[in-house]
Amino acid sequence: GQQVMQIPQYQHVQEGEDFTTYCNSSTTLSNIQWYKQRPGGHPVFLIQLVKSGEVKKQKRLTFQFGEAKKNSSLHITATQTTDVGTYFCAASLYNQGGKLIFGQGTELSVKP
Amino acid sequence: EAGVAQSPRYKIIEKRQSVAFWCNPISGHATLYWYQQILGQGPKLLIQFQNNGVVDDSQLPKDRFSAERLKGVDSTLKIQPAKLEDSAVYLCASTLGSGRADTQYFGPGTRLTVL
């Protein structure tokens, strides 16, 4: 079935360093959402990207949607210990209603 | 606004036993989803309901898993009989509408361990 590939699987950074996770699909996406899951917690919605080439920012987080709507990225500037968790992209395809296909996630650890 | 409620939070059973999970979505949310999240992986959709009708159950192992949402509000997911590979967190999520642009709100999940 349709898959969404997310890399890297793990990322260990020193506090203050930047972090980026990438999400790729072989199929054009309707939209893409990003979620954060803290250790032992549940996924929490961060943002949704809909338009080709869209860029959105939330404080130190920058989200991008590719021009072809097949890839997306999340970049965190100057990581903090509160950024620890697993970041998931979740893709929505055309003609599939509200169904989301989640990537494998990128687990971020931040060393103080 | 109350969030998505799930119970129990934890469940330990032996293989071949049965288990049931309960979910109460956010009030007024028409669409309800059950996901299975195996350790180290992203959530995988098992079944999607819109009101009390099934929209998508293509990835539900129907020989052992069943789900219902009889009155279009809360829902139960059952596994009978359980296998070792069913050990996972079962997440329930809900959305206000049924379109692609809806934010999914997740409950805390039920962590199932099958011994």
Side-chain angles (χ1 to χ4, degrees):
Chain A
Q2 174 65 31
Q3 285 191 330
V4 174
M5 304 304 296
Q6 191 174 352
I7 57 170
Q9 187 173 1
Y10 304 98
Q11 186 78 58
H12 309 285
V13 301
Q14 193 77 32
E15 189 173 22
E17 293 181 337
D18 292 355
F19 159 78
T20 305
T21 173
Y22 301 90
C23 193
N24 293 285
S25 168
S26 57
T27 305
T28 302
L29 304 174
S30 168
N31 64 68
I32 197 158
Q33 299 180 8
W34 285 90
Y35 290 79
K36 177 182 179 180
Q37 186 172 24
R38 286 199 163 93
H42 58 275
V44 174
F45 174 80
L46 292 176
I47 209 158
Q48 176 174 258
L49 304 170
V50 178
K51 299 177 183 177
S52 169
E54 189 169 15
V55 178
K56 287 188 177 180
K57 293 189 176 184
Q58 288 180 351
K59 297 183 180 178
R60 296 177 294 104
L61 277 61
T62 301
F63 304 84
Q64 293 189 341
F65 203 8
E67 293 289 341
K69 299 185 70 173
K70 291 185 177 181
N71 57 74
S72 181
S73 65
L74 158 59
H75 179 82
I76 302 178
T77 303
T79 55
Q80 299 176 357
T81 55
T82 53
D83 296 326
V84 165
T86 300
Y87 293 84
F88 292 98
C89 61
S92 180
L93 303 178
Y94 291 98
N95 303 318
Q96 292 207 11
K99 178 178 180 178
L100 290 178
I101 301 170
F102 280 78
Q104 304 95 311
T106 296
E107 184 180 341
L108 172 65
S109 63
V110 179
K111 187 176 181 181
Chain B
E1 177 182 80
V4 176
Q6 287 188 249
S7 67
R9 292 295 310 278
Y10 305 92
K11 190 74 177 179
I12 301 173
I13 61 173
E14 295 187 347
K15 59 183 180 183
R16 292 188 288 272
Q17 286 188 322
S18 301
V19 64
F21 313 126
W22 176 80
C23 171
N24 192 20
I26 293 173
S27 178
H29 278 200
T31 307
L32 184 149
Y33 308 80
W34 282 103
Y35 289 90
Q36 180 192 60
Q37 186 175 24
I38 292 172
L39 186 65
Q41 299 182 18
K44 184 185 85 171
L45 180 68
L46 292 175
I47 190 166
Q48 176 185 348
F49 291 96
Q50 184 174 346
N51 298 312
N52 60 351
V54 175
V55 175
D56 186 335
D57 64 357
S58 57
Q59 296 191 94
L60 186 74
K62 298 181 186 64
D63 57 334
R64 298 185 300 107
F65 286 64
S66 64
E68 59 183 16
R69 193 186 184 200
L70 293 176
K71 296 183 179 180
V73 181
D74 56 350
S75 175
T76 55
L77 175 70
K78 296 179 182 178
I79 307 175
Q80 180 180 8
K83 293 185 175 180
L84 296 176
E85 58 261 36
D86 297 333
S87 293
V89 175
Y90 291 84
L91 294 162
C92 178
S94 69
T95 60
L96 183 61
S98 59
R100 294 185 296 274
D102 290 322
T103 300
Q104 295 199 11
Y105 296 88
F106 284 83
T110 297
R111 184 177 297 277
L112 173 67
T113 302
V114 182
L115 303 176

